[in-house]
């Protein structure tokens, strides 16, 4: 068998095995909350409390209407939890799944898709908070909300492309996990999650150089009934292109060493 072709086909094989990694993703959630009455909704409740508390405080600090800030903050926070949770576990992904990698012939990318699927399921649970915000403030986003589908898909593809080199390199260099966590902590404060971009001005480099800000806009704007900026589509596609090139190179050259590194 041609090893290069085998590596190139790993992603297609992993996607085709969706019944395996989707089942394992559901099992992860069931096992984690096995003795809990409300299961993963504990995450939803804690996120909702955090958003309401933060919205009450920052609406006064920013002198903003809470009816504008709280929906904006809540959607941003729900999406941030999804993005940060996904990227945060990638550096240790293969190390945490050493038994699968060393004792079975599992496709490494199936393990990665399992993690993304698990976090996507939790993201779906957290969307209940957004529905609650809609009902409380009487928000109807209109037909623009349909743009959340391609926008969210583009975000997921970016997370997949970024996760591949993170997980492979993280198997070799264990310090990467701490670096990623530190970067995510910084990104939380410089990403427009609970503050409006207009506070820094349209030409701020903090906004323009932050890819997660573009990801936020692709999902949050449609959910608020607005159109995402064209720059968000362009920047997200550019990040996807660059990340995919890096992911392909790293995976093709280092895939065979993962089992030895973990």
């Amino acid at each position: 068998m041609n090893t290069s072709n085998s590596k190139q086909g790993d992603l297609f094989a992993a996607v085709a095995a969706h019944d395996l990694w989707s089942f394992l993703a559901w099992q992860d959630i069931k096992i984690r909350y096995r003795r809990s009455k409300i299961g993963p909704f504990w995450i939803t409740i804690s996120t909702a409390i955090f958003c309401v508390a933060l919205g009450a405080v920052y609406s006064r600090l920013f002198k903003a209407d809470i009816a504008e800030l709280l929906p904006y903050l809540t959607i941003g926070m729900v999406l941030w939890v999804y993005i940060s949770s996904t990227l945060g576990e990638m550096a240790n992904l293969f190390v945490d799944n050493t038994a699968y990698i060393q004792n079975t012939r599992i496709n490494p990318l199936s393990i990665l898709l399992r993690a993304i699927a698990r976090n996507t399921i939790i993201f779906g649970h957290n969307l209940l908070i957004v529905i609650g915000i809609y009902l409380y403030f009487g928000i109807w986003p209109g037909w623009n909300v349909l743009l959340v589908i391609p926008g969210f898909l583009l975000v997921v593809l970016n997370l997949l492309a970024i996760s591949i080199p993170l997980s492979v390199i993280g198997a070799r260099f264990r310090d990467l996990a701490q670096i990623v966590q530190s970067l995510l902590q910084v990104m939380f404060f410089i990403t427009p999650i609970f503050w409006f971009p207009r506070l820094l001005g349209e030409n701020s480099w903090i906004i323009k150089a932050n890819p997660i800000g573009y990801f936020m806009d692709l999902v949050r704007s449609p959910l608020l009934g607005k159109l995402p900026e064209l720059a968000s589509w362009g920047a997200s596609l550019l990040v996807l292109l660059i990340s995919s090139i890096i992911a392909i190179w790293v995976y093709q050259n280092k895939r065979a060493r993962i089992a030895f590194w973990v």
Side-chain angles (χ1 to χ4, degrees), residues 101-114:
I101 294 173
Q102 292 187 342
N103 301 324
T104 66
R105 293 178 59 86
I106 192 170
N107 184 338
L109 295 185
S110 292
I111 298 175
L112 192 148
L113 290 176
R114 168 191 180 182

Side-chain angles (χ1 to χ4, degrees), residues 1 11 23 31 62 70 75-76 80 83-84 101 110 114 123 131 138 141 143 184 194 211 234 248:
M1 178 182 294
L11 180 58
F23 171 77
I31 292 172
F62 296 150
L70 191 55
I75 297 171
W80 169 256
I83 293 173
S84 62
I101 294 173
S110 292
R114 168 191 180 182
F123 173 74
I131 295 174
W143 291 108
L184 287 173
F194 53 87
I248 291 170

Side-chain angles (χ1 to χ4, degrees), residues 2 7-8 10 35 45 67 70 79 96 107 125 133 144 162 179 187 199 201 203 207 214 223 250 256 259:
N2 188 306
K7 293 174 183 176
Q8 292 175 5
D10 274 7
R35 299 186 182 277
I45 293 172
L70 191 55
L79 186 58
D96 293 339
N107 184 338
H125 289 146
I133 291 292
N144 286 337
I162 296 170
I179 295 173
M187 294 299 290
L199 295 176
N203 296 320
I207 295 175
Y214 296 115
L223 290 175
V250 170

Side-chain angles (χ1 to χ4, degrees), residues 25-41:
W26 278 109
Q27 287 299 114
D28 286 343
I29 294 175
K30 289 180 180 179
I31 292 172
R32 182 181 300 179
Y33 299 99
R34 181 168 44 192
R35 299 186 182 277
S36 173
K37 295 294 184 182
I38 60 176
F41 290 105

